[in-house]
Every structure is written in C-alpha cells, then in structure tokens.
C-alpha cells in the first residue's frame, strides 16, 4: 500500500495497536502489519518520530524495558491517548461513510429524484 495513503491515519493506527497494552517499536510495526493482513508495512523512520510526537502531546508514555542485555523503549496509551483514539475512530467512521456514499451511491428509485 502506498505510504502516502497511511499518512493522515498514522496516529490512529499507532494508538489502536497500543490499546491492548505496552509495545516496543518493532512490535508496533509487526502488530500493524499483522492486523492489516500484511497490507500495511510501516518503517522505523516513520513510526519513531510519530511515537515521540504522540508522547510529547501526552497521548503516550514510554519506559525502558530490559530483555536480557537489550534495552528497548516501550510505549503505552495514557487516558488522553484513549480519548484521542475514540475521537480517531469516530472521525474514521464519518470519513469512510462519506467516501462510501460517493464511491458507492445508493441507487434512487425512479420518481424519487428531487
């Protein structure tokens, strides 16, 4: 899928995969890919700046997690992040309904046109 098709929806995608609990960057990438059936492939250069921005906005918090000798930053939703996710979902439903109405119009019955 084209990267520009995801651009306006990246925040919502990241918030949605973090809804179930904390994940580190590569796990976030894998979750998006898995949940999209392999259609969406995000790059680290795309998600890390977005995660940092969402953290600055107070929608995520992060902490360091140690796995053996490796340390990695894990991200999780804040309450503000949960509210933002619900707003993203509402906006997405409204958007897809509007686009669907244009791309797949419901045929009108003859004589009902205004």
């Amino acid at each position: 899928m084209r990267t520009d098709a995801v651009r306006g929806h990246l925040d919502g995608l990241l918030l949605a995969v973090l809804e179930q609990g904390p994940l580190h960057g590569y796990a976030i990438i894998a979750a998006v890919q898995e949940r999209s059936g392999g259609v969406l492939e995000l790059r680290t250069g795309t998600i890390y700046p977005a995660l940092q921005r969402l953290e600055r906005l107070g929608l995520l918090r992060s902490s360091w997690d140690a796995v053996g000798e490796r340390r990695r930053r894990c991200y999780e939703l804040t309450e503000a992040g949960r509210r933002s996710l619900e707003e993203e979902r509402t906006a997405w439903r409204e958007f897809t309904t509007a686009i669907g109405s244009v791309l797949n119009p419901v045929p009108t019955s003859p004589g009902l046109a205004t």
Side-chain angles (χ1 to χ4, degrees), residues 35-57:
R35 287 171 67 169
S36 71
V39 174
L40 301 176
E41 293 183 30
L42 301 179
R43 297 187 174 145
T44 57
T46 301
I47 72 148
Y48 284 111
L51 291 168
Q52 292 166 356
R53 182 176 43 75
L54 292 171
E55 187 173 16
R56 280 193 309 273
L57 291 171

Side-chain angles (χ1 to χ4, degrees), residues 19-98:
E19 183 177 30
Q20 299 300 313
L23 294 172
H24 59 86
Y26 287 110
I28 293 169
I29 291 170
V32 169
Q33 188 170 13
E34 180 182 320
R35 287 171 67 169
S36 71
V39 174
L40 301 176
E41 293 183 30
L42 301 179
R43 297 187 174 145
T44 57
T46 301
I47 72 148
Y48 284 111
L51 291 168
Q52 292 166 356
R53 182 176 43 75
L54 292 171
E55 187 173 16
R56 280 193 309 273
L57 291 171
L59 304 179
L60 300 179
R61 70 176 143 259
S62 67
S63 59
W64 287 101
D65 185 30
V67 177
E69 304 251 340
R70 285 186 67 182
R71 286 176 29 117
R72 56 189 179 188
R73 187 172 290 277
C74 288
Y75 297 87
E76 66 181 311
L77 288 180
T78 62
E79 281 306 311
R82 290 186 188 287
R83 289 190 301 274
S84 182
L85 176 57
E86 286 310 311
E87 291 169 8
E88 290 277 344
R89 285 182 169 142
T90 299
W92 177 252
R93 282 190 294 274
E94 292 170 355
F95 177 75
T96 57
T97 298

